[in-house]
C-alpha cells in the first residue's frame, strides 16, 4: 500500500561482552585414537634439497693439483709451490695454497630418517632410537673466483677417491635402559663406498690401479658397536664407556686418498 517499515534496531550496533568464565565450566578433554603402545613412538622422515652458490670453502690441495695438471689453469697452478726436487711435503718451501674462498656451487640432496620409542621396564625406563641419512647427491662445482669459469665438477655420493669419502647411507642406533644405573648400546653403520674417480669411472681392478685398497672395487660397509654405563649422584653424572667393543680394524685406503692418522680413512675408528 506504499507504506514503509522502519526498523527500531540499527543495522550495526556495537556490543559490550563479558569474558568471565562460567563457574560450572570444566577442563577440555582430548581423546586420541592411537593405541597405547604408540603414544611414546616418534617417527620422522625429512627430504632436503640445498643449493649453495658462491659457496665459501677450500678447493682442496688435491683438487688444485688436479685442475692445474689437467687444464693448466694459471690461478690453480700459481697456488702450487714446489720445494727442492719438486717435492710438496719434504720441506716448508713445498706446499699448496688452500685458503677459504668462493669456490663455486654445492648441492646436497637426500633424506633424513629418525625414530624413537620409550617404554617402562624393570622398574626403569627403556628406550630405542634411530637416526639415518641417505645421500642422493653430494655435488660440487669448482669455479674460478675471478672469471667464474667452471674448473671441475663431481658428485661424491657413494664414492671413495682423492676428493670424496661420503657413503650414501649411514646411521646411528641406540638401545638402553635407565634406572638406578644407565646402560646404552650404540650401533654405528657406514655404508659401502665404490672405489671410483670423480666422474664415476671404476679405479680398482684396472691396470695400474692400486688394487690393495679394496677388493672388488669397493670398500664394504662397516659396523661399529659401542657400550656405556652411567650413574647419577646428586647433581653429577658419571659415564664409563668403550667404543668399538669388537675392536674392528679401520679400512686402509692408501696414501693417495684422503687420510687421517696415516692411511686410515677419516670418520672411522682407529
Amino acid at each position: 500500500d506504499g507504506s514503509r517499515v522502519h526498523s527500531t534496531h540499527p543495522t550495526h550496533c556495537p556490543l559490550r561482552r563479558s569474558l568471565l568464565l562460567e563457574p560450572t565450566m570444566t577442563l577440555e578433554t582430548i581423546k586420541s585414537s592411537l593405541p597405547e603402545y604408540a603414544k611414546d613412538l616418534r617417527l620422522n622422515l625429512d627430504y632436503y634439497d640445498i643449493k649453495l652458490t658462491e659457496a665459501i670453502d677450500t678447493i682442496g690441495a688435491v683438487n688444485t693439483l688436479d685442475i692445474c695438471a689437467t687444464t693448466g689453469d694459471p690461478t690453480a697452478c700459481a697456488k702450487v709451490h714446489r720445494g727442492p726436487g719438486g717435492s710438496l711435503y719434504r720441506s716448508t718451501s713445498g706446499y699448496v695454497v688452500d685458503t677459504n674462498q668462493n669456490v663455486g656451487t654445492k648441492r646436497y640432496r637426500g633424506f633424513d630418517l629418525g625414530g624413537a620409542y620409550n617404554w617402562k621396564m624393570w622398574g626403569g625406563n627403556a628406550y630405542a632410537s634411530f637416526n639415518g641419512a641417505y645421500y642422493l647427491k653430494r655435488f660440487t662445482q669448482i669455479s674460478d673466483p675471478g672469471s667464474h669459469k667452471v674448473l671441475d665438477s663431481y658428485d661424491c655420493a657413494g664414492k671413495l677417491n682423492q676428493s670424496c669419502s661420503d657413503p650414501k647411507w649411514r646411521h646411528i642406533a641406540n638401545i638402553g635402559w635407565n634406572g638406578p644405573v644407565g646402560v646404552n648400546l650404540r650401533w654405528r653403520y657406514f655404508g659401502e663406498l665404490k672405489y671410483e674417480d670423480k666422474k664415476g669411472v671404476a679405479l680398482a681392478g684396472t691396470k695400474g690401479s692400486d688394487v690393495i685398497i679394496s677388493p672388488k672395487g669397493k670398500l664394504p660397509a662397516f659396523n661399529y658397536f659401542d657400550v656405556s654405563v652411567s650413574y647419577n649422584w646428586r647433581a653429577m653424572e658419571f659415564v664409563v664407556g668403550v667404543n668399538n667393543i669388537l675392536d674392528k680394524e679401520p679400512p686402509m685406503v692408501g696414501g693417495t686418498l684422503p687420510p687421517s692418522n696415516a692411511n686410515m680413512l677419516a670418520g672411522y675408528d682407529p
Side-chain angles (χ1 to χ4, degrees):
D1 58 0
S3 62
R4 296 184 179 181
V5 177
H6 297 277
S7 172
T8 57
H9 299 284
T11 304
H12 301 287
C13 179
L15 298 176
R16 184 172 296 167
R17 297 181 297 165
S18 173
L19 300 179
L20 298 177
L21 300 178
E22 290 288 343
T24 58
M25 189 174 66
T26 60
L27 295 176
E28 293 178 322
T29 301
I30 299 176
K31 293 184 178 181
S32 172
S33 60
L34 288 174
E36 188 67 28
Y37 66 83
K39 291 183 178 180
D40 293 315
L41 176 65
R42 302 289 183 271
L43 296 173
N44 66 274
L45 175 63
D46 300 312
Y47 169 78
Y48 60 88
D49 189 348
I50 302 170
K51 185 177 181 180
L52 302 176
T53 57
E54 300 294 332
I56 299 175
D57 201 352
T58 61
I59 291 178
V62 172
N63 285 331
T64 300
L65 287 171
D66 241 3
I67 294 168
C68 176
T70 58
T71 70
D73 180 72
T75 303
C77 293
K79 296 178 181 180
V80 180
H81 299 267
R82 296 192 177 276
S87 171
L88 290 173
Y89 62 92
R90 292 183 183 277
S91 68
T92 56
S93 60
Y95 60 93
V96 177
V97 177
D98 193 27
T99 55
N100 281 311
Q101 56 184 304
N102 296 109
V103 299
T105 301
K106 291 179 179 286
R107 187 174 183 182
Y108 300 149
R109 186 157 54 92
F111 293 94
D112 290 332
L113 174 65
Y117 185 58
N118 299 276
W119 68 97
K120 300 290 185 181
M121 188 176 72
W122 300 336
N125 295 310
Y127 61 88
S129 65
F130 178 90
N131 288 285
Y134 185 81
Y135 296 146
L136 295 171
K137 183 180 287 292
R138 301 283 288 179
F139 176 77
T140 298
Q141 179 178 283
I142 299 174
S143 303
D144 182 272
S147 66
H148 298 287
K149 175 186 175 183
V150 176
L151 302 175
D152 199 4
S153 62
Y154 51 91
D155 185 1
C156 278
K159 295 185 180 70
L160 175 61
N161 54 51
Q162 294 97 327
S163 303
C164 305
S165 57
D166 299 307
K168 284 190 173 183
W169 173 259
R170 65 175 68 190
H171 70 246
I172 295 178
N174 289 275
I175 186 167
W177 179 81
N178 288 319
V181 296
V183 180
N184 183 80
L185 175 65
R186 180 174 64 178
W187 171 28
R188 292 177 289 143
Y189 176 87
F190 298 82
E192 69 176 33
L193 289 165
K194 293 182 179 179
Y195 189 37
E196 298 176 346
D197 67 12
K198 292 185 289 186
K199 303 304 180 183
V201 179
L203 296 176
T206 59
K207 185 177 181 181
S209 67
D210 188 357
V211 295
I212 298 176
I213 290 180
S214 175
K216 299 181 180 178
K218 66 182 180 181
L219 187 70
F222 264 67
N223 295 277
Y224 288 111
F225 295 95
D226 314 318
V227 66
S228 64
V229 178
S230 61
Y231 178 73
N232 291 298
W233 181 69
R234 295 185 179 179
M236 296 180 289
E237 182 182 25
F238 300 89
V239 180
V240 177
V242 178
N243 288 342
N244 191 12
I245 57 176
L246 300 180
D247 198 25
K248 188 177 181 66
E249 293 289 338
M252 309 301 284
V253 297
T256 60
L257 298 181
S260 173
N261 296 332
N263 55 354
M264 187 194 81
L265 187 63
Y268 294 78
D269 274 13

